Amino acid sequence: MVHRKIFSILTIVIIIFLVTGCGAKNQQAINDNGKIRLMVLDPGHFHASLVLKVMYPEVDSTVYVYAPDGMELSDFLARVESYNTREESPTAWNVVTYKGDNFLEKMVEEQPGNLVVLAGNNRDKTGYIEACIDAGLHVYSDKPMAIDPAGFERLTGAFEHAEEQGLLLYDIMTERFEITTILQKTISEEEHIFGELVHGTVVEPAITKESVHHFFKYVSGAPLLRPAWFFDVSQEGEAIADVGTHLVDLVLWEAVPDGIRNREEQIQIVSSKRWTTDLSPEQFGRVTGSEVFPEFLTDYITSGTLRAMANSSVDFRVKDIHAHVSVEWAFEAPEGTGDTHYSIMRGSLSDLIIKQGAAENYRPELYIRASENADKELIEVNLQLYLNEVLNEKYPGMAIEKVDAGTWKINIPNKFREGHEAHFARVTEKFLEYMENGEVPPWEIDQMIAKYYTTTMAVKMAQ
């Protein structure tokens, strides 16, 4: 296991020196075949490989990887090779790898591509973003791009520098492409069904997003080995700053779709807390491949048990809308289950609820529940009209199932139920559209900055 060092002053000086001579190389990388060329930097998280699970017409088939040698790199290369050799729709990535401790400086010096993919140790990620932007490179980053207030300040500087240079900086928000989430947002815009989003209270928020994840899981059919630093919040980040990024993103995406422009005035953290999940050495070994706790986890160990600071929640207001976000981690999901998601948007006419429990066979389903004083028959008529005239134009085969008086479920055809891994391709396709247009829309940038402001301020309060 390679334990990364925080950027040294010498490293940054070397990078700045190298950047001055890299512009021509980068321009050549863009122009010689008209395609985007990917560089993957230090792929310490399996999300880096999921970006490459499919091919993209706009992207050159040769991918350049720069990383320290070790298990994380080996796992990435093996996963990409499994995509290249699978029987159904194999990919054809030609992976060119540079291994060495000076991987960052080497990438900045050589620049065989123009778009950097980041997914790895979150403590290092903000510095990687800064270095790539300084080198004149576009950045496509896994979440989170910052895990604490200091990182947030550096990230806002990176966004400003990217804008000055005409570079794109974007994070991978897969959950926007989950079909029940898409429908929840879409129906919330229909005033004859949903009404208006209520303001809510701390006790009964207008929007709630809760998720439960598991340390031990399977990815692309194989057990996932996580690096030991995954359990160190100084490297991985608090739960609210990591997985919570997705949930806060969805709150802002649904509640304030045109973006947040004055975050200090429009976002207020009401309360935030954190708690642990306990792992035995044997459980730690199943997840990481080593039953020996590394020294950097010493502060989290009590009587031989790892007390991972894995769980967080935050209550906050965005403008006058109350929201609640919670992230929990268990060791392993019971057989036949998996990660779960719960969400509710409360409207003046109805609530839009996503459930993923036993009653749903652990797959997300969307319910519409009429408010107590609403005209339930009229909502049902309007819901059916909307389904026939709008939804089925884009998503053919949708149907309404009446659960009880005033509650309906949207029956979603399986063809629209893509799994989490497939969502990486959808986000990437959207980002490639932005690359073709030459900019990330301003509302997206506003949302990213507001999102990381919210998560890092929640971390500060919880700590």
Side-chain angles (χ1 to χ4, degrees), residues 28-323:
Q28 179 66 23
I30 298 171
N31 291 339
D32 63 357
N33 69 353
K35 290 193 174 185
I36 294 167
R37 287 188 175 178
L38 298 181
M39 297 181 292
V40 180
L41 181 64
D42 193 9
H45 194 288
F46 71 95
H47 286 176
S49 60
L50 292 181
V51 172
L52 302 178
K53 197 172 182 180
V54 302
M55 305 287 289
Y56 309 93
E58 308 92 332
V59 177
D60 192 278
S61 60
T62 298
V63 177
Y64 300 87
V65 181
Y66 292 84
D69 200 3
M71 184 189 74
E72 294 165 23
L73 175 60
S74 298
D75 182 69
F76 169 81
L77 295 175
R79 209 176 298 278
V80 174
E81 179 61 19
S82 74
Y83 302 151
N84 280 344
T85 57
R86 67 190 175 206
E87 292 187 6
E88 184 178 350
S89 302
T91 52
W93 297 112
N94 172 36
V95 181
V96 179
T97 305
Y98 175 83
K99 304 176 185 179
D101 291 339
N102 65 334
F103 59 93
L104 176 60
E105 297 93 322
K106 193 71 172 178
M107 185 195 75
V108 169
E109 177 185 8
E110 295 181 344
Q111 289 199 37
N114 63 307
L115 173 60
V116 180
V117 176
L118 294 176
N121 189 301
N122 296 325
R123 179 190 61 192
D124 297 338
K125 199 178 293 173
T126 313
Y128 288 164
I129 290 170
E130 289 176 316
C132 292
I133 295 298
D134 287 345
L137 298 166
H138 305 288
V139 177
Y140 183 49
S141 174
D142 189 33
K143 57 79 191 160
M145 295 199 290
I147 61 174
D148 53 36
F152 172 74
E153 293 302 322
R154 296 171 67 187
L155 181 63
T156 56
F159 272 109
E160 292 171 0
H161 196 191
E163 183 178 11
E164 292 167 359
Q165 297 190 82
L167 297 171
L168 278 66
L169 171 57
Y170 195 65
D171 63 356
I172 303 175
M173 291 288 101
T174 52
E175 296 310 302
R176 294 186 192 177
F177 293 85
E178 207 289 313
I179 186 62
T180 55
T181 299
I182 291 172
L183 295 177
Q184 185 184 49
K185 175 177 168 58
T186 301
I187 296 175
S188 75
E189 297 167 354
E190 296 301 311
E191 62 179 357
H192 299 299
I193 301 171
F194 181 69
E196 297 181 349
L197 183 65
V198 302
H199 292 173
T201 64
V202 173
V203 175
E204 193 172 72
I207 302 179
T208 294
K209 306 282 184 185
E210 298 175 344
S211 69
V212 178
H213 291 255
H214 300 88
F215 293 126
F216 184 81
K217 64 195 303 183
Y218 288 85
V219 174
S220 299
L224 173 65
L225 284 180
R226 299 184 187 273
W229 55 257
F230 184 84
F231 296 93
D232 180 5
V233 294
S234 72
Q235 299 184 64
E236 175 67 14
E238 301 275 355
I240 206 67
D242 182 26
V243 174
T245 306
H246 283 300
L247 306 185
V248 173
D249 178 78
L250 294 180
V251 169
L252 300 180
W253 188 56
E254 292 174 339
V256 195
D258 57 345
I260 297 290
R261 293 172 180 81
N262 191 333
R263 55 187 178 271
E264 287 86 356
E265 290 186 5
Q266 295 177 325
I267 296 175
Q268 179 184 357
I269 309 300
V270 178
S271 64
S272 185
K273 63 180 180 179
R274 61 212 284 256
W275 62 100
T276 64
T277 296
D278 294 350
L279 278 80
S280 68
E282 292 75 20
Q283 289 174 320
F284 183 78
R286 285 188 67 193
V287 177
T288 65
S290 172
E291 293 185 11
V292 178
F293 295 127
E295 185 177 348
F296 60 80
L297 291 178
T298 299
D299 291 343
Y300 304 103
I301 297 171
T302 303
S303 301
T305 297
L306 175 62
R307 304 193 184 283
M309 191 60 69
N311 314 292
S312 301
S313 69
V314 58
D315 293 281
F316 66 101
R317 284 196 297 269
V318 49
K319 294 187 176 179
D320 54 0
I321 303 298
H322 287 260

